[in-house]
Amino acid sequence: MRKVFMLRLSWIALLQSLFVLASAQTTFPVQGMHSNATSLQVLSHCNIVRAPGDVVMNGMMIIRDGLVENVGTNISVPAGAAVYDLHGMWVFPGFIDAWSSIGLERAKREPEVPGASPQYVTKEKGPLNWNEAVTPEYAAASHIVMDKKAAADLRALGFTTLHVVPNDGIFRGTSALLNLGEEPIHRELLQPVVGSCMSWDKGTTHQSYPSSLMGAIALIAQTLIDADWYAQVAQQRSARPGLPITETNLSLAAIQQQIAAKLPIFFDCGDWQGMMRAQRIAQEYGLQLIFKTDGGGYQRLAELKALGRPMIVPLNFPEAYDVKDPADAREVPLRRLWHWEAAPTNPAQLDKAGIQFALTLSDLKKQADFWPMLQKAIRSGLSAKAALAALTTTPANMLGVAQRVGTLDPGKLANFFIADDDVFAKEKVTIYETWIAGHRYSIQDIPEWDSRGQYQLQAGNETLRLLISGKYAQPKASHIQGNDTIEGTLKVEGRNVSLTLPMQKGKPIPQYRLFGIATASQINGEGTAPNGARLTWAADLVGQIPEKADTTGLLKPINLADMPAVRYPFSPFGFTQLPTQNIWLIKGVTVWTNTAQGKLENAEVLIAEGKVQAVGKGLLKPPGATVVEAQGMHLTPGIIDEHSHIAISGDVNEGTHANTAEVRIGDVVNSEDVNIYRQLSGGVTTSQLLHGSANPIGGQSAIIKLRWGLTPQEMKFAAAPGFIKFALGENVKQSNWGDQFHTRYPQTRMGVEQFIRDAFVAAQDYRKQMKAAGGPNAMPMRRDLQLETLLEIMDGKRFITCHSYVQSEIIMLMRLAESLGFKINTFTHVLEGYKIADKLQAHGATASTFSDWWAYKYEVIDAVPYNASIMQKMGVNVCINSDDAEMGRRLNQEAAKSVKYGGMSEEDALKMVTLNPAKALHIDQYVGSIEKGKDADLVLWSDHPLSVYAVVQKTFVDGRLYFDRANDHALSLFVNAERQRLLQKMIDSPEKDKKKFEGKNGPQIHHCESQGEGMEEEQ
């Protein structure tokens, strides 16, 4: 159950301004004696990295009352200061983790109650949002309980500051900024409100809606609209106190308050497609987003650069799999192998592209992996300057606290860590202390004195030249005999010294074993000689060892020469260079025009600027044209699949409510789905991506061209009108869903009719309210995305495609639509359409059907393979659709079945998958036939296009060659070679504890009834 702690944003500025005084004054009573000590410290003889690219060598830093007072080389030590001589150690600004939930209790999902009905309404108490995934009133600052061990672990890695973000829900509430010291939380909290936090994941709630990504997007949109409306109502009520209170909603109030305060929104949006989806929401509603990503941004650098938004990038580079067994190896998708190789280059590539990003350790399996992963990123091309910026100045700017943290400039908090060397250049570096607001936190003891130098060692009667060199905190010993330098071992604890000196190079014994205590210029004590005799010894400092650059242990760059270019999409069959609109002249081909010209034998087609320029014979070759000799081949319009479920991210159904007209498939187009390429190989150029059939009124569809390699937005058929999916029959009344779902209305076919009618009546009432709205005294009108969509249908701006089987229901919906003044555009499946073909024709509905599916459930028991032919003969516009990713690759063969069963002409059969669906989708002025001026969406077949022997040779979309059989063969060879290269590289990698791949290999195939199934990766 959520608790409400909402910080009023008007207090934020005051809280921030008071922080400066916090070290001196506090409202909390003092327990015991007061401390009057002034905090004045000086770090001397150290290399201070003041900011990325700004290093003060052998410098000094003055710290007063927790703030940096000065940094430089010629600084006077203030009187009364505690001086810490660091003898050449390095000081770095403290790291800022830009995304963490440490300090907040991890949200837990309560176990499902066996046999429980779905939860449709909130169970939360209080005037909060109707949906439990919307909790903007949650304030992380009111819930932080910092675990001392967790804080110490982070300090040991160099982190001093934490951006604490809520971890549950879609609207998650506000984040806070926290120092990682051990002072009480009221002293460590730097900024109680940093920004709002959002995600696509509804989190731990059991509330049904949303169950899909498109549902989450719709919920975000409607909630933002509601928050704006709520603010307008509040304004009206403030101006007119007598108005009745219609609703009090603390959640909507919190959203509007955060937007009004112009808080940045930190959005956990996943991959690059998620970033682009989030940006579209931001543009529509005027939000400023900061993206939390999945680390795969290198796959779409240009697009992400164009977004112009900063990112928070994890260092969770994938681990190598155990692929020694060939059977295990074949299960790993090539995308995973590529990502394993390329992911460490992601930060470097983002930096090179000029994309602002901060690094986070939030997604690491173990926090201890932070330094190895950061070093891997540096070895993979990330500069030391960029790495430091991504952990200091960039997150400080991103979080709005650059004036207080991120660099070691005067006036800023003394947040830093001390290491024995340059942490961004050396493989093995030790962090000794982390300071937070001037408080020291020891990780390892720093030696009290600098033991390094040249000594004259008197051990009994023997005199030796002793050299102590290396790092201040990790010195090493050797002695000189003749021309040999013989390495020994040295251990220094405080001023206690243990020294072992072998007498011969390369031989550990005989040796001196010496123990002693150091003073300012001498070490003396007792020990044993190489012969075992007891002795006393003394080592006098006689000189310093000349300093020289230490080039040992440098981070070695990874050889990236073998890495292939990124492909678009990030798929085995993607492009390294996207196709261009060339000039093509296809000669000697049989052209199926789908016009009054019919089939043209031995003809020519000219393509330029993405359009068909000419069809005929004797066409002249334009300059720069590519000639395709196609004798014996056939050219058809691109196949159009009126009913498809490919290329959808997440679930295809938002089946939680009976009416989900507000959700949009267009929000979740997945341009990475390999089924796009597969269907191009079968001649498909355009698809309508439909919502599933889980509810009477489903979601809005998306009509796309299969522009393989382009982004989701670029795939959309811009000129296509809007469509929406309705459904009838067993699915929507939940005949086969199980008893636990049998609470959602409607449960019967007659209930479906009443539900749909009621929804449109509600839309009509909504229109009346809109017309009545306006004027100086009228209350603001709340926009309802669901009802607005239904009005689009009634206004002829959006068309219905309806899942249907049984004749009685098909007739019912036509009558219902006619009574409300509109028509049903398409009945899909429509397997009893042959019984009512005359009524379909009279209504003007398209029938989009299967060629020969029947008996797969009871309501299709009367289906016959003559269905398409009978309806076509009755004058109905008939299409053959796939509803199936695999069938979409052979729709030409599905169309051919009506030639066999119904005696349909070959040209009419082909039209059922080309021109007829173009008419059904109201895009036939652009596609569906081959004639001058139409889009060059064309397919070149090796044989008669209705033959089972026909193989697609080339598929053009907008005059671009997106599929080429010859190139496909070369890609297959490349894919096999790449798999072998990467598998061997993975086998040879030094990573330990490799585990076998346990994911799914291949995409999830969506159908109308699919629920709870996300898209998986493809090999």
Side-chain angles (χ1 to χ4, degrees):
M1 306 292 279
R2 65 188 179 191
K3 297 179 181 178
V4 180
F5 290 90
M6 192 166 66
L7 290 173
R8 293 192 177 276
L9 299 180
S10 59
W11 287 91
I12 293 175
L14 177 61
L15 289 166
Q16 292 171 355
S17 64
L18 288 176
F19 175 80
V20 177
L21 304 175
S23 60
Q25 302 179 30
T26 177
T27 60
F28 280 57
V30 176
Q31 302 297 327
M33 303 295 291
H34 286 77
S35 172
N36 297 316
T38 299
S39 175
L40 180 59
Q41 300 128 317
V42 175
L43 305 185
S44 67
H45 299 110
C46 51
N47 304 317
I48 303 168
V49 182
R50 186 159 43 192
D54 182 1
V55 183
V56 179
M57 300 299 293
N58 194 26
M60 180 183 293
M61 179 163 61
I62 300 174
I63 302 163
R64 188 187 297 271
D65 294 329
L67 302 178
V68 176
E69 185 173 278
N70 204 353
V71 176
T73 53
N74 296 310
I75 302 175
S76 299
V77 176
V83 180
Y84 303 94
D85 190 335
L86 295 182
H87 300 280
M89 298 183 84
W90 287 69
V91 178
F92 292 88
F95 293 161
I96 304 167
D97 191 344
W99 188 280
S100 177
S101 293
I102 293 173
L104 296 180
E105 183 179 357
R106 174 59 61 179
K108 296 179 181 178
R109 183 178 174 87
E110 297 295 327
E112 296 276 1
V113 177
S117 297
Q119 180 189 336
Y120 293 118
V121 298
T122 179
K123 294 183 178 179
E124 296 295 343
K125 298 177 181 178
L128 303 174
N129 193 266
W130 72 272
N131 194 289
E132 293 173 6
V134 179
T135 60
E137 67 282 354
Y138 180 95
S142 300
H143 294 77
I144 297 172
V145 180
M146 181 50 67
D147 182 289
K148 288 188 176 181
K149 182 180 183 307
D153 290 343
L154 288 169
R155 290 196 300 266
L157 297 173
F159 285 88
T160 58
T161 310
L162 214 58
H163 180 217
V164 182
V165 297
N167 55 39
D168 192 35
I170 293 174
F171 287 85
R172 295 183 166 189
T174 56
S175 59
L177 194 69
L178 183 74
N179 260 351
L180 285 167
E182 293 184 354
E183 294 290 301
I185 192 69
H186 66 278
R187 294 175 65 87
E188 298 293 0
L189 191 64
L190 296 185
Q191 192 154 307
V193 176
V194 175
S196 304
C197 300
M198 294 176 66
S199 80
W200 303 126
D201 184 1
K202 73 177 182 181
T204 59
T205 176
H206 284 289
Q207 196 166 354
S208 301
Y209 185 91
S211 66
S212 65
L213 175 57
M214 58 184 163
I217 294 171
L219 177 61
I220 290 171
Q222 186 64 67
T223 303
L224 290 171
I225 289 169
D226 288 349
D228 182 62
W229 166 80
Y230 188 80
Q232 293 177 42
V233 171
Q235 274 188 329
Q236 283 273 34
R237 199 180 296 138
S238 175
R240 300 160 61 195
L243 289 175
I245 296 176
T246 56
E247 179 180 345
T248 299
N249 191 314
L250 296 181
S251 302
L252 297 181
I255 291 173
Q256 194 55 37
Q257 190 180 31
Q258 291 159 21
I259 292 174
K262 297 183 178 179
L263 292 182
I265 297 176
F266 296 88
F267 204 119
D268 188 358
C269 49
D271 64 10
W272 66 265
Q273 293 193 81
M275 285 185 257
M276 298 187 81
R277 292 181 187 114
Q279 183 67 3
R280 289 198 298 275
I281 294 173
Q283 290 171 342
E284 188 170 354
Y285 297 100
L287 310 177
Q288 293 297 312
L289 301 186
I290 295 171
F291 300 127
K292 163 64 165 50
T293 77
D294 70 345
Y298 65 91
Q299 297 169 19
R300 285 284 175 168
L301 289 171
E303 288 78 6
L304 299 189
K305 170 71 172 176
L307 297 182
R309 303 306 306 158
M311 302 175 191
I312 299 172
V313 178
L315 285 165
N316 61 331
F317 306 140
E319 300 173 346
Y321 296 113
D322 179 359
V323 291
K324 289 182 179 179
D325 187 327
D328 294 330
R330 70 190 299 270
E331 293 301 316
V332 185
L334 183 54
R335 286 173 60 99
R336 292 284 187 100
L337 297 175
W338 271 337
H339 186 56
W340 167 77
E341 180 181 50
T345 72
N346 183 56
Q349 293 197 56
L350 293 176
D351 180 54
K352 185 177 180 181
I355 297 172
Q356 185 184 19
F357 68 95
L359 293 172
T360 176
L361 48 71
S362 63
D363 294 346
L364 291 173
K365 291 183 179 178
K366 304 189 299 264
Q367 289 183 0
D369 290 337
F370 166 72
W371 277 108
M373 292 297 185
L374 180 61
Q375 290 182 342
K376 184 179 285 190
I378 293 171
R379 293 200 309 271
S380 299
L382 181 65
S383 71
K385 181 179 178 180
L388 179 59
L391 290 161
T392 55
T393 53
T394 300
N397 283 309
M398 196 180 280
L399 302 171
V401 290
Q403 75 282 10
R404 298 162 70 188
V405 293
T407 66
L408 295 177
D409 292 318
K412 294 189 178 182
L413 288 174
N415 285 8
F416 57 86
F417 65 90
I418 300 170
D420 62 356
D421 213 326
D422 185 348
V423 294
F424 295 100
K426 298 295 185 69
E427 286 189 354
K428 295 182 180 179
V429 179
T430 303
I431 296 176
Y432 282 89
E433 289 184 355
T434 298
W435 291 47
I436 298 177
H439 292 275
R440 296 176 65 190
Y441 295 93
S442 177
I443 299 162
Q444 295 191 41
D445 290 336
I446 297 178
E448 297 178 14
W449 63 291
D450 190 352
S451 61
R452 295 172 296 178
Q454 300 183 48
Y455 292 82
Q456 181 173 299
L457 171 63
Q458 190 70 40
N461 298 324
E462 190 79 23
T463 300
L464 303 174
R465 286 179 60 197
L466 173 67
L467 304 178
I468 299 179
S469 59
K471 298 177 181 178
Y472 164 58
Q474 296 177 336
K476 55 186 178 181
S478 61
H479 68 100
I480 306 297
Q481 282 196 355
N483 294 325
D484 290 336
T485 300
I486 303 172
E487 300 291 335
T489 59
L490 176 66
K491 183 178 181 182
V492 179
E493 292 182 346
R495 291 192 174 260
N496 295 316
V497 177
S498 299
L499 179 63
T500 301
L501 295 174
M503 298 310 297
Q504 294 181 340
K505 192 171 185 178
K507 296 182 179 180
I509 54 176
Q511 61 186 217
Y512 283 99
R513 298 174 57 82
L514 309 175
F515 312 92
I517 297 175
T519 60
S521 59
Q522 187 184 70
I523 313 170
N524 59 71
E526 299 179 347
T528 59
N531 61 6
R534 305 240 348 200
L535 55 76
T536 60
W537 65 280
D540 294 307
L541 182 65
V542 295
Q544 297 297 324
I545 298 175
E547 290 188 16
K548 59 181 181 179
D550 182 7
T551 58
T552 60
L554 292 174
L555 289 172
K556 298 177 182 178
I558 295 172
N559 181 12
L560 304 176
D562 291 339
M563 289 183 58
V566 173
R567 308 189 81 83
Y568 305 99
F570 195 64
S571 163
F573 296 94
F575 298 106
T576 54
Q577 296 291 329
L578 291 171
T580 57
Q581 280 184 338
N582 299 332
I583 302 174
W584 302 88
L585 180 60
I586 305 172
K587 301 179 65 175
V589 69
T590 299
V591 182
W592 296 62
T593 66
N594 280 355
T595 68
Q597 290 183 290
K599 284 194 297 182
L600 302 177
E601 304 288 345
N602 195 26
E604 297 165 0
V605 175
L606 178 64
I607 302 169
E609 298 180 350
K611 301 289 185 180
V612 175
Q613 301 295 332
V615 182
K617 297 184 179 182
L619 301 181
L620 296 177
K621 175 188 173 184
T626 300
V627 175
V628 179
E629 296 291 349
Q631 285 76 13
M633 298 185 186
H634 294 248
L635 189 71
T636 70
I639 289 174
I640 301 171
D641 192 349
E642 187 277 337
H643 185 153
S644 177
H645 299 297
I646 66 166
I648 296 174
S649 290
D651 290 341
V652 73
N653 271 296
E654 179 54 63
T656 51
H657 292 169
N659 181 357
T660 57
E662 73 280 4
V663 308
R664 305 183 298 193
I665 294 290
D667 290 330
V668 292
V669 173
N670 176 19
S671 60
E672 303 286 292
D673 183 5
V674 73
N675 285 304
I676 298 169
Y677 182 76
R678 289 176 176 171
Q679 297 202 3
L680 282 166
S681 75
V684 180
T685 57
T686 299
S687 295
Q688 178 174 216
L689 311 184
L690 285 171
H691 185 278
S693 56
N695 27 25
I697 302 176
Q700 301 168 37
S701 65
I703 299 174
I704 66 169
K705 287 198 177 189
L706 303 194
R707 298 170 178 135
W708 179 238
L710 272 63
T711 64
Q713 284 296 101
E714 291 169 331
M715 293 183 70
K716 293 179 181 178
F717 201 133
F723 277 76
I724 187 171
K725 176 75 170 290
F726 278 36
L728 306 169
E730 291 182 5
N731 291 359
V732 298
K733 71 186 188 70
Q734 307 158 78
S735 299
N736 305 303
W737 289 14
D739 290 341
Q740 71 270 27
F741 290 101
H742 277 201
T743 59
R744 193 196 76 183
Y745 183 89
Q747 293 290 299
T748 63
R749 296 180 193 268
M750 55 187 174
V752 171
E753 176 185 7
Q754 289 305 308
F755 180 83
I756 295 174
R757 183 181 297 278
D758 177 76
F760 280 104
V761 170
Q764 290 175 326
D765 291 342
Y766 177 71
R767 190 196 300 276
K768 293 175 183 177
Q769 293 173 24
M770 286 195 298
K771 288 181 178 179
N777 297 319
M779 290 295 288
M781 178 72 184
R782 174 185 174 269
R783 283 185 60 204
D784 188 309
L785 295 179
Q786 194 175 89
L787 295 177
E788 283 184 3
T789 304
L790 298 183
L791 288 181
E792 289 177 358
I793 296 169
M794 301 182 78
D795 293 340
K797 298 177 181 178
R798 184 171 299 278
F799 303 98
I800 295 173
T801 293
C802 186
H803 165 105
S804 60
Y805 291 108
V806 179
Q807 62 169 326
S808 58
E809 287 188 300
I810 297 169
I811 294 171
M812 172 274 292
L813 191 59
M814 288 191 291
R815 288 174 177 168
L816 188 155
E818 289 165 357
S819 70
L820 293 169
F822 64 92
K823 294 184 178 181
I824 306 300
N825 189 87
T826 306
F827 284 97
T828 190
H829 307 327
V830 64
L831 293 187
E832 289 189 12
Y834 66 95
K835 298 181 180 179
I836 52 169
D838 56 337
K839 294 180 174 58
L840 291 170
Q841 192 277 333
H843 184 76
T846 287
S848 186
T849 188
F850 296 129
S851 60
D852 58 355
W853 284 27
W854 64 83
Y856 51 90
K857 56 182 176 178
Y858 188 78
E859 66 182 348
V860 299
I861 197 169
D862 283 351
V864 297
Y866 308 97
N867 186 41
S869 297
I870 293 172
M871 290 189 292
Q872 189 259 351
K873 289 175 182 177
M874 290 297 296
V876 177
N877 184 49
V878 180
C879 314
I880 300 293
N881 65 62
S882 73
D883 192 16
D884 175 80
E886 196 280 327
M887 184 184 286
R889 297 188 300 112
R890 47 182 173 82
L891 280 174
N892 61 315
Q893 297 177 21
E894 294 298 305
K897 293 176 181 178
S898 290
V899 178
K900 173 184 177 180
Y901 287 111
M904 188 181 292
S905 73
E906 292 179 348
E907 291 186 52
D908 284 341
L910 182 65
K911 287 178 182 178
M912 289 198 298
V913 291
T914 53
L915 184 59
N916 294 1
K919 291 177 179 178
L921 298 174
H922 303 278
I923 53 175
D924 52 304
Q925 68 268 44
Y926 307 103
V927 292
S929 60
I930 303 178
E931 51 188 312
K932 183 178 179 179
K934 284 203 172 182
D935 294 353
D937 294 3
L938 307 173
V939 185
L940 184 64
W941 304 82
S942 64
D943 206 329
H944 190 296
L946 300 183
S947 168
V948 294
Y949 300 108
V951 175
V952 172
Q953 300 301 302
K954 298 180 187 297
T955 303
F956 297 90
V957 181
D958 302 319
R960 292 180 169 90
L961 183 60
Y962 281 99
F963 176 81
D964 185 3
R965 182 66 58 184
N967 187 51
D968 177 71
H969 178 68
L971 282 173
S972 296
L973 296 177
F974 165 77
V975 165
N976 292 334
E978 272 295 276
R979 284 192 62 82
Q980 294 310 309
R981 179 184 71 82
L982 287 163
L983 289 170
Q984 190 58 52
K985 187 174 183 178
M986 193 170 274
I987 291 169
D988 295 339
S989 70
E991 297 180 44
K992 299 178 181 179
D993 302 323
K994 298 176 184 176
K995 296 180 175 60
K996 297 183 187 302
F997 176 71
E998 295 181 350
K1000 294 181 179 179
N1001 187 343
Q1004 178 65 52
I1005 303 300
H1006 291 311
H1007 298 93
C1008 276
E1009 298 85 354
S1010 300
Q1011 289 197 91
E1013 299 171 343
M1015 185 65 68
E1016 296 291 337
E1017 291 178 295
E1018 165 63 17
Q1019 184 172 347

